[in-house]
Amino acid sequence: MSDQPKLELHLHLEGAAPPAFIRAQAKRKNTDLSRIFDENGTYAYRDFADFLRVYEAACTVLTSPQDFHDLTLAVLERSAEAGVIYTEAFLSPDFCGGGDLAAWRDYLAAIEAAAQQAEAQMGITLRGCVTCIRHFGPDQARRIAKCAQETAGHFITGFGIAGDETVLHPRDFAYAFDAAREAGLGLTAHAGEWGGPDSVRDALTHLRVSRIGHGVRAVEDPALVEHLAERGVVLEVCPGSNIALGLYRDWRSHPIDRLRRAGVRVTVSTDDPPFFHTTMRNEYTRLADAFGWTEQDFAEINQIALHAAFCDPETRAAIKKKLEAT
Ligand code: ADE
Ligand code: ZN
């Protein structure tokens, strides 16, 4: 079943950068990034705050559209290798010209060109979800929403918020989400990872999102679990990420199976695979081992992801066909 075709809804493009790719960029740019790697050459961080620092340090050597073109190809190659046929990646104008619209257009053109190349060569489809970063604040989020609004279409299909959930409040970002909604973009917010059930409630109330990134801590509140199930809110669950960042002790302790049994529409993603030493194939294998999930269970999860994807109807139909062909 780990060879089943897979749909992934929650992947940060820069967070998926292979460490060797970032090291090569650092070398070319004469930047010393040795502090962010351990002796095995993989990303080294102590906790979530440190993870964000390492992540942002890695991004400092991604400085041109060409870098993002090459990054996109490297990332999609690895996703395709793990059996992914459709992926939605969080793209951050913050790291692509600092939120300047003209610069963002150039970076986006490079990312899209790489996506077209990957689709032709590897059969993997990419769609972009522009994301603002919570700890960069609401004013910057408005600039990012403007980037999303101006480039919404066939390739940019969603808008989201990532970053440090422990600072500020979803209501501070309502303006940015309203702008993205008006542009016809699908909406998702990271919540219920470092914040509890109230954080998930606040994201639903103030940002009016159809999907929640992570959302797993909803499990701490049975009334909220019932609400998510009734409303059909889709959770982009990233179990390997949660375990690597210390949110749960091990796979058996992860709430994804409990949420699913309670009728919540869960999907499976990797978040930032090299940071967490995971792949989509590994997530499937570990979930099968921990919870006895079968090929049928994963097929159901793929169907949920297919319907929750922010892509246009033609893309959805093409992905559906691919799933049916296997
Ligand atoms: N950005 C990249 N990975 C993230 C995560 N797990 N939580 C919040 N922001 C992120
Ligand atoms: Zn994430």
Side-chain angles (χ1 to χ4, degrees):
M1 81 197 65
S2 51
D3 283 328
Q4 267 180 292
K6 302 164 185 72
L7 276 63
E8 177 163 45
L9 299 183
H10 189 123
L11 178 79
H12 299 262
L13 181 62
E14 314 85 21
F21 181 90
I22 293 296
R23 268 199 307 279
Q25 293 289 335
K27 193 168 175 199
R28 284 205 300 122
K29 293 172 187 185
N30 281 321
T31 304
D32 179 13
L33 276 187
S34 56
R35 69 186 184 284
I36 72 166
F37 297 109
D38 64 17
E39 63 281 7
N40 301 316
T42 59
Y43 295 115
Y45 54 88
R46 287 182 305 278
D47 51 26
F48 180 61
D50 199 36
F51 160 79
L52 289 177
R53 275 192 293 273
V54 169
Y55 188 111
E56 286 165 24
C59 290
T60 61
V61 294
L62 299 169
T63 55
S64 69
Q66 184 65 46
D67 292 346
F68 271 83
H69 177 277
D70 298 348
L71 171 65
T72 303
L73 272 186
V75 168
L76 292 178
E77 198 176 298
R78 280 158 184 78
S79 292
E81 225 168 70
V84 178
I85 59 166
Y86 176 82
T87 189
E88 272 176 26
F90 291 116
L91 309 178
S92 305
D94 280 297
F95 301 128
C96 297
D100 175 77
L101 178 59
W104 166 241
R105 287 191 195 280
D106 291 343
Y107 278 82
L108 181 58
I111 294 169
E112 199 171 346
Q116 279 168 4
Q117 188 180 329
E119 182 146 25
Q121 291 173 351
M122 307 167 216
I124 181 168
T125 302
L126 173 69
R127 291 294 179 265
C129 185
V130 169
T131 191
C132 63
I133 297 177
R134 187 153 162 168
H135 55 274
F136 292 175
D139 290 343
Q140 183 65 1
R142 286 178 187 218
R143 271 176 227 121
I144 303 309
K146 175 85 178 156
C147 289
Q149 222 177 2
E150 294 293 326
T151 54
H154 177 67
F155 186 69
I156 293 298
T157 57
F159 183 72
I161 182 166
D164 189 349
E165 192 188 343
T166 65
V167 300
L168 298 164
H169 190 278
R171 82 170 75 81
D172 302 327
F173 299 92
Y175 182 96
F177 275 73
D178 287 347
R181 187 180 308 103
E182 275 169 30
L185 292 162
L187 303 178
T188 177
H190 281 61
E193 182 191 21
W194 303 104
D198 281 347
S199 176
V200 175
R201 273 206 188 82
D202 289 340
L204 291 171
T205 303
H206 295 281
L207 306 179
R208 294 163 53 201
V209 292
S210 63
R211 298 184 351 206
I212 295 280
H214 299 283
V216 285
R217 291 194 50 203
V219 79
E220 296 164 23
D221 181 341
L224 178 59
V225 170
E226 205 172 305
H227 178 74
L228 295 179
E230 265 171 21
R231 283 267 307 270
V233 175
V234 170
L235 302 189
E236 305 153 7
V237 183
C238 310
S241 160
N242 298 153
I243 294 160
L245 286 170
L247 207 53
Y248 301 102
R249 199 177 57 247
D250 54 29
W251 285 79
R252 295 272 309 153
S253 315
H254 194 279
I256 188 169
D257 189 57
R258 270 177 287 155
L259 288 161
R260 185 164 180 260
R261 284 176 192 278
V264 178
R265 294 166 72 75
V266 303
T267 59
V268 175
S269 294
T270 57
D271 210 10
D272 310 285
F275 279 88
F276 309 134
H277 305 285
T278 194
T279 62
M280 279 294 275
R281 180 172 284 120
N282 179 59
E283 299 286 317
Y284 274 42
T285 303
R286 296 301 197 100
L287 288 166
D289 290 348
F291 303 117
W293 287 8
T294 62
E295 206 164 306
Q296 179 58 32
D297 292 312
F298 289 109
E300 284 173 22
I301 279 172
N302 275 333
Q303 285 299 318
I304 292 169
L306 178 68
H307 287 104
F310 292 147
C311 61
D312 57 32
E314 295 74 29
T315 306
R316 198 185 320 279
I319 302 300
K320 182 168 185 271
K321 219 170 174 180
K322 267 196 187 176
L323 276 176
E324 284 166 357
T326 53

